[in-house]
Amino acid sequence: ESILFYGEAGAGPLARGSQVPVTLLGGGSYTFTSGLAVILEVLRNRDQRGSPPVAAPPAAGPLGGSDTGQPLSGRHYLFAQLQNGPAQGGTIWHARYTYNADDGSGQFSAYLEGTVFSRLSPFVLVGLGHGARASEFGAGRDRMIMGGARLFLW
């Protein structure tokens, strides 16, 4: 069994006459002897440039969330993940939940990957979002499914 705590901090560019925008990430994980891991994170964006939080645009980003192409100004997230250990072999899976604390939206996603042959691994990713239409995860992109396969040549 093991426990890990971590934190990161970053500062953005300083605009004339404003304070430095700061992004803080804190998290921790607990891994059981079976290899099962629980991960929790908090992301806080302290944008002090006086701009309002970025609204969700019409374009979808990874896992169905919005992709503004801009910094996460003023947005705050909670994240939880449960996953099996890759050393266990066989099927790989994880379940994730991301919550946007600013607009109350969130997204659950699940990933499953198996091995068909020694060099071929099909996978599926499912995402279910919730929130108001104008929110990040509920803005008309609240469901998705993606599948594929990884082929190992060497």
Side-chain angles (χ1 to χ4, degrees), residues 49-104:
R49 292 175 284 188
S51 61
V54 175
L63 297 181
S66 64
D67 182 5
T68 64
Q70 301 172 0
L72 300 172
S73 60
R75 291 197 254 174
H76 307 92
Y77 295 91
L78 300 174
F79 172 80
Q81 177 170 301
L82 181 66
Q83 68 182 37
N84 71 332
Q88 293 171 297
T91 303
I92 297 170
W93 62 266
H94 68 246
R96 295 178 172 170
Y97 181 73
T98 304
Y99 176 73
N100 181 323
D102 297 307
D103 65 16

Side-chain angles (χ1 to χ4, degrees), residues 1-131:
E1 295 184 3
S2 65
I3 297 174
L4 172 68
F5 294 104
Y6 52 90
E8 296 178 20
L14 182 61
R16 183 181 289 199
S18 67
Q19 297 178 13
V20 176
V22 177
T23 299
L24 303 171
L25 172 72
S29 68
Y30 183 82
T31 304
F32 296 89
T33 54
S34 66
L36 185 71
V38 177
I39 300 131
L40 299 172
E41 290 184 350
V42 174
L43 178 66
R44 183 164 175 83
N45 294 287
R46 293 182 174 176
D47 185 353
Q48 299 173 349
R49 292 175 284 188
S51 61
V54 175
L63 297 181
S66 64
D67 182 5
T68 64
Q70 301 172 0
L72 300 172
S73 60
R75 291 197 254 174
H76 307 92
Y77 295 91
L78 300 174
F79 172 80
Q81 177 170 301
L82 181 66
Q83 68 182 37
N84 71 332
Q88 293 171 297
T91 303
I92 297 170
W93 62 266
H94 68 246
R96 295 178 172 170
Y97 181 73
T98 304
Y99 176 73
N100 181 323
D102 297 307
D103 65 16
S105 67
Q107 184 178 58
F108 169 79
S109 66
Y111 177 83
L112 181 65
E113 180 179 329
T115 301
V116 176
F117 304 107
S118 63
R119 299 188 181 273
L120 181 65
S121 297
F123 64 87
V124 64
L125 175 65
V126 176
L128 299 170
H130 69 84

